[in-house]
Amino acid sequence: MARGDRAALSRSGGGREAVEAVWRIESARIVATLARYTGDFSLAEDVAQESLAEALVTWPRDGVPRNPAGWLLTVGRRRAIDAFRRRSALDDRYAALARGLGEGGAPAGGDAARDFDLLWDPDQIDDDVLSLVFIACHPVLSREAQIALTLRVVGGLTSTEIAHAFLVPAATMQARITRAKKTLAAARVPFAPPSPDERRERLGSVLGVLYLIFTEGSSATSGGDWLRPDLAHEAIRMSRIVARLVPGESEAHGLLALVELTAARFPARVQDDGAPVLLADQDRRRWDRAAIRRGRAALAEAGRVGRGLGAYGLQAAIAECHAVAPSVGETDWERIVVLYEALGRLAPSPVVELNRAVALSMARGPAAALPVVDDVLATGRLDGSHLLPSVRGELLRRLGRVEEARRELDLAVRLCQNERERDVLRHKLATLGTEAAPPCW
């Protein structure tokens, strides 16, 4: 656990908050390490969840152990041994797992630190977590199952959070995750780094999942935080590894460019109290210039090795337009419109159309953008999402259609699952018609 992560844990206090903080930071590595040692992805995820449940009972009562992640890992390993005993699988795996494990005593203090050091090889962490992503993206699983399982196990999202992101009931998402784990177990998928051929076969799925993990980190769908930087930076870290693994794949570099350029704005996107700062109000001097340089270099590499930019590369090019602009007013919005048009042809989606409408409103005014939003509305594909009424309400506000804007923004407030974003929408609603505000996205 990095020094900054330890500081965050310290601020979180004891008990349940500490459990949640450790799990948010370390869950992917805990599951990945357990999967490597058990050779069973599904079992590793199950026993990791059991260790989490035990921590929720034990830590509030006995205090937070000196090595919290080691405590969780040790409990998970012991639960795995119990599972092997129940299966009567007294084979070499059981012997290897049980070797050196003492009898009795709670998994805390020095024992946890010792077990953690034995199990957690820092040279293997990156490979373990990345192997976990490739396993979750195994071709025996459907695309929906791949995404759900990776977001749950690697991203650390709850079933409810994933369900919100995909606009499905939480029970549906939980069933999807359970089926995915059973499918991997039935197919006897081993925990092992994939071969080069397997990497190429699964690359599209892996990039898609990393993109979704980063997106959840950069714009949390629910909860009390505007950003989830721990999640976003984990996606960035894995994107860097993937780009090194497949240096000839343009979209691997395109995704890396996108996440670097987007994360560069993180320092200016929230106030000290966590309140959001929208693009027009951000202090661009606080943007991470090193991340911008890395992102632009990755985008140039994507163009060099590919035959034109793919979907991630096009989004990175849009992010680059923002990164190099001195202000919102001086942004090349016409170029962004063109890039969104290209993205819409390559990877059509209602969210891409909404973003194109925003760019159109900045380049040519709200009257040019509203028909695009109305076309999205007519499809019904974003029913239940706050994004559509949020954008439509802003356009109507700028057109002076205040009562219509009020209805749309009120709907957006009711649909929004993120507390911070809901506060922004409430402020728009409360000040509607009382100010001549600039466009606010």
Side-chain angles (χ1 to χ4, degrees), residues 252-266:
H253 297 288
L255 177 62
L256 179 58
L258 173 60
V259 298
E260 292 277 19
L261 289 165
T262 304
R265 303 201 293 268
F266 282 5

Side-chain angles (χ1 to χ4, degrees), residues 111-392:
D111 287 344
R114 181 201 65 211
D115 291 341
F116 185 72
D117 290 339
L118 288 171
L119 282 173
W120 205 304
D121 180 355
D123 294 332
Q124 295 294 325
I125 287 176
D126 286 349
D127 288 341
D128 281 349
V129 176
L130 192 61
S131 294
L132 198 63
V133 176
F134 274 94
I135 289 170
C137 293
H138 196 282
V140 298
L141 300 178
S142 68
R143 172 71 168 167
E144 292 81 5
Q146 291 172 349
I147 293 169
L149 192 59
T150 308
L151 290 175
R152 170 66 178 271
V153 178
V154 179
L157 276 66
T158 67
S159 300
T160 300
E161 288 172 327
I162 303 170
H164 282 317
F166 289 92
L167 304 177
V168 299
T172 300
M173 188 56 67
Q174 181 58 55
R176 190 176 294 173
I177 292 168
T178 300
R179 284 197 302 272
K181 290 163 59 178
K182 289 180 178 178
T183 299
L184 289 176
R188 299 183 180 277
V189 174
F191 185 87
S195 68
D197 287 343
E198 288 174 322
R199 289 175 187 167
R200 284 189 290 271
E201 180 184 4
R202 302 182 207 175
L203 181 63
S205 295
V206 169
L207 294 179
V209 166
L210 293 181
Y211 171 76
L212 287 170
I213 292 174
F214 178 82
T215 299
E216 177 63 26
S218 62
S219 300
T221 56
S222 62
D225 295 321
W226 177 246
L227 301 177
R228 296 183 62 179
D230 53 335
L231 203 54
H233 287 299
E234 182 70 2
I236 294 171
R237 184 186 67 79
M238 288 189 286
S239 296
R240 291 170 181 162
I241 297 170
V242 173
R244 290 197 299 269
L245 283 173
V246 287
E249 296 288 344
S250 175
E251 277 290 75
H253 297 288
L255 177 62
L256 179 58
L258 173 60
V259 298
E260 292 277 19
L261 289 165
T262 304
R265 303 201 293 268
F266 282 5
R269 282 189 59 196
V270 292
Q271 300 176 23
D272 291 342
D273 62 358
V277 181
L278 300 182
L279 182 62
D281 301 319
Q282 289 174 17
D283 181 356
R284 297 183 179 222
R285 293 171 298 181
R286 298 187 62 197
W287 288 3
D288 186 340
R289 297 297 159 183
I292 291 173
R293 287 192 295 272
R294 291 194 300 269
R296 298 188 76 187
L299 181 58
E301 186 67 10
R304 188 186 69 80
V305 303
R307 296 192 298 256
L309 296 176
Y312 301 123
L314 288 171
Q315 291 176 79
I318 293 167
E320 184 184 43
C321 289
H322 292 295
V324 301
S327 67
V328 168
E330 297 170 274
T331 301
D332 190 348
W333 290 106
E334 286 289 354
R335 172 168 168 74
I336 292 176
V337 170
V338 171
L339 289 168
Y340 271 122
E341 289 172 349
L343 181 61
R345 288 192 292 271
L346 193 61
S349 84
V351 175
V352 169
E353 285 301 286
L354 275 189
N355 286 326
R356 181 168 74 89
V358 170
L360 268 173
S361 76
M362 300 299 292
R364 305 171 198 171
L370 188 58
V372 177
V373 176
D374 287 342
D375 286 344
V376 175
L377 177 64
T379 68
R381 293 180 63 193
L382 283 180
D383 289 351
S385 170
H386 73 286
L387 296 174
L388 181 56
S390 175
V391 172
R392 195 165 189 272

Side-chain angles (χ1 to χ4, degrees), residues 1 47 58 64 70 132 150 158 171 254 257 263 284-285 369 395 441:
M1 188 181 295
V47 297
T58 304
V64 180
L132 198 63
T150 308
T158 67
R284 297 183 179 222
R285 293 171 298 181
L395 295 177
W441 303 106

